[in-house]
Amino acid sequence: MSTAESIIEKAMRKANVLRTGITTPANLLDNGLADLNDILSLFSAKDYLIPYRTKETFSIATSKNKYTMGSGGDFDTDRPVKIEEILVTYSGIDYRIRELALSNYNAVSVKSIGVTPEFFYYEPAFPLAFIYFNSSPSTSDTCTIDSLKEFTEFATLATDITLPPGIELMLWSNLCLLICADNGKSPPSVVVSLAMDSMSTALEQAMKNRKDFAHADPALVTRGGYNILTDQ
């Protein structure tokens, strides 16, 4: 568990603007909190640094194909930065539905047929995002969404957050660079290296956690293999 205050004070010590045993002035802590949350927002915008997917299941109503997603929305949860995959469950069977680009979604002329959706378009608006399905079901279905969520920001200096391995290092080292810039100081070379290495490590770990395999349309997959003797 890490608090914003502990991360900020560590970054200040590494920047040589705070001595051990000295109480940190409140205004410096407040400025550090704002900078720390700005860094978290930047890392969230770079979705390739988000270390894991979040899986959530929601109900899909009949005769409705547009849903808001975010705090207070139809799908009441944290707003995703990106949707990786959606499965629609109908009569106990999961159907993977494909994401469309906006132009392709708009090209679907009829979007109100009472059948299980096959496609979706995601508009990451703020503060509520929108999910558009190409159709609305005739019976209530559920959908399971795998998405990338923003890093949780620190509400206060005392907010305690459990961070994935390596993320705290990435935060305080990059915050140290900002503090040095604000104070007209050159950052220690070891901190510069740590900031770069920690981001590279976070990226590698995120890619490992989120590795995926290619999807093949079942209609294109043949049963069995090719027989060189029969040419079939």
Side-chain angles (χ1 to χ4, degrees):
M1 303 286 280
S2 304
T3 65
E5 186 169 358
S6 67
I7 293 173
I8 293 166
E9 289 185 334
K10 187 170 188 176
M12 288 180 171
R13 288 196 300 272
K14 298 297 183 181
N16 294 317
V17 298
L18 178 67
R19 287 182 294 174
T20 302
I22 302 298
T23 301
T24 310
N27 66 310
L28 294 184
L29 286 174
D30 289 340
N31 291 340
L33 179 61
D35 287 341
L36 181 58
N37 282 332
D38 283 344
I39 290 172
L40 283 167
S41 294
L42 178 62
F43 289 165
S44 293
K46 297 176 181 292
D47 60 58
Y48 50 80
L49 289 176
I50 298 174
Y52 50 81
R53 301 180 180 96
T54 299
K55 184 184 291 290
E56 299 167 294
T57 300
F58 305 96
S59 297
I60 304 177
T62 58
S63 304
K64 182 174 181 176
N65 71 328
K66 174 184 175 182
Y67 295 84
T68 55
M69 190 169 187
S71 180
D74 298 317
F75 298 160
D76 191 2
T77 182
D78 293 335
R79 170 187 169 277
V81 175
K82 180 182 179 183
I83 289 181
E84 296 273 271
E85 186 168 85
I86 296 181
L87 296 177
V88 172
T89 303
Y90 174 68
S91 296
I93 300 175
D94 291 336
Y95 299 90
R96 178 177 178 268
I97 64 174
R98 188 158 56 92
E99 184 173 10
L100 296 180
L102 177 59
S103 58
N104 293 332
Y105 178 82
N106 288 337
V108 178
S109 57
V110 180
K111 301 184 177 72
S112 59
I113 299 174
V115 295
T116 299
E118 297 179 80
F119 310 106
F120 75 94
Y121 167 67
Y122 180 62
E123 180 62 47
F126 188 86
L128 291 176
F130 295 92
I131 296 178
Y132 299 87
F133 295 111
N134 70 299
S135 63
S136 56
S138 57
T139 59
S140 296
D141 294 345
T142 61
C143 68
T144 299
I145 300 177
D146 289 288
S147 67
L148 303 179
K149 300 294 187 77
E150 295 179 352
F151 286 102
T152 302
E153 294 189 3
F154 291 91
T156 69
L157 290 166
T159 300
D160 216 355
I161 294 179
T162 301
L163 296 168
I167 298 299
E168 182 175 345
L169 171 59
M170 186 170 68
L171 289 177
W172 72 251
S173 58
N174 280 275
L175 180 59
C176 179
L177 301 185
L178 277 182
I179 292 172
C180 287
D182 288 343
N183 288 272
K185 299 168 65 70
S186 296
S189 58
V190 65
V191 174
V192 175
S193 296
L194 283 172
M196 297 175 63
D197 290 346
S198 61
M199 289 189 68
S200 176
T201 300
L203 173 60
E204 291 175 7
Q205 189 60 50
M207 293 301 99
K208 288 179 182 177
N209 292 347
R210 290 159 45 189
K211 67 181 179 180
D212 207 347
F213 300 95
H215 293 281
D217 189 321
L220 301 179
V221 179
T222 60
R223 296 182 181 273
Y226 173 71
N227 188 323
I228 193 172
L229 299 177
T230 62
D231 195 29
Q232 294 181 350

